[in-house]
Amino acid sequence: SFCFVVVDAAEGRVERSTVMLLQLTNVSVTSADITGLRKFTIYKVSVRAANEVITGSLEGPASNFVEIQTLQDVPSAPVSLSIAAVDDTSLHVTWLPPLAPNGIIMFYQVFIAESVTSVSATQNISANATKTVIKGLTAYTTYTAIVRAFTIDFGNFSLPADGSTDEGF
């Protein structure tokens, strides 16, 4: 059998210390799957031979730690979405990045609508921005906005937020 020690490289803490018993009918086995790790996270992994079944102890020296990184996945939803009027035809939309980006955020997509059935505007926003101004809206109208982030694909939408443009003069 082999003992795999997995350490979160950024935090320096042991994430998972697992003894994986492998049936060594073929001594050329050189890999195993380690599951339950966080997405898009760098880990340090070490392997050590064991004879736990017979002696109950680890037998061989541990290998050097090797850094590995789990793959990207879709992000969680952006949070803390809010809308404020700029003037009678524009709304300022802000949000915070997803709590679990699960990769490199490439861009955000903002949808704003007067009703659930009709989208009034859609904007793709740079990954390093968490705000935008939506222009060309109708005066004194309530709109609902939602935002989602993109890594390797789109993640979930944020919770919706409502805001109204100012009254026109």
Side-chain angles (χ1 to χ4, degrees), residues 89-120:
T89 61
S90 303
L91 291 171
H92 187 247
V93 181
T94 62
W95 61 92
L96 293 176
L99 297 176
N102 295 330
I104 298 168
I105 302 291
M106 303 303 287
F107 64 92
Y108 293 97
Q109 192 170 57
V110 179
F111 291 87
I112 193 159
E114 284 185 62
S115 69
V116 178
T117 58
S118 67
V119 174
S120 301

Side-chain angles (χ1 to χ4, degrees), residues 16 45 56 68 86 97 108 120 127 137 145:
R16 182 179 302 285
V45 179
I68 60 166
V86 173
Y108 293 97
S120 301
L137 302 173

Side-chain angles (χ1 to χ4, degrees), residues 40-134:
F40 200 62
T41 302
I42 296 172
Y43 291 94
K44 293 181 180 180
V45 179
S46 176
V47 180
R48 185 174 206 173
N51 195 355
E52 186 174 319
V53 175
I54 297 170
T55 66
S57 66
L58 298 173
E59 297 288 320
S63 69
N64 292 330
F65 279 97
V66 175
E67 280 194 358
I68 60 166
Q69 183 170 16
T70 53
L71 298 175
Q72 292 192 81
D73 201 352
V74 297
S76 62
V79 295
S80 301
L81 179 65
S82 66
I83 301 176
V86 173
D87 56 34
D88 62 336
T89 61
S90 303
L91 291 171
H92 187 247
V93 181
T94 62
W95 61 92
L96 293 176
L99 297 176
N102 295 330
I104 298 168
I105 302 291
M106 303 303 287
F107 64 92
Y108 293 97
Q109 192 170 57
V110 179
F111 291 87
I112 193 159
E114 284 185 62
S115 69
V116 178
T117 58
S118 67
V119 174
S120 301
T122 303
Q123 286 187 359
N124 289 339
I125 309 300
S126 167
N128 57 3
T130 55
K131 62 184 177 182
T132 189
V133 174
I134 309 286

Side-chain angles (χ1 to χ4, degrees), residues 1-4 20-32 47-53:
S1 63
F2 293 96
C3 174
F4 292 91
M20 301 183 82
L21 298 175
L22 303 176
Q23 299 294 330
L24 295 179
T25 55
N26 178 355
V27 293
S28 64
V29 172
T30 59
S31 66
V47 180
R48 185 174 206 173
N51 195 355
E52 186 174 319
V53 175

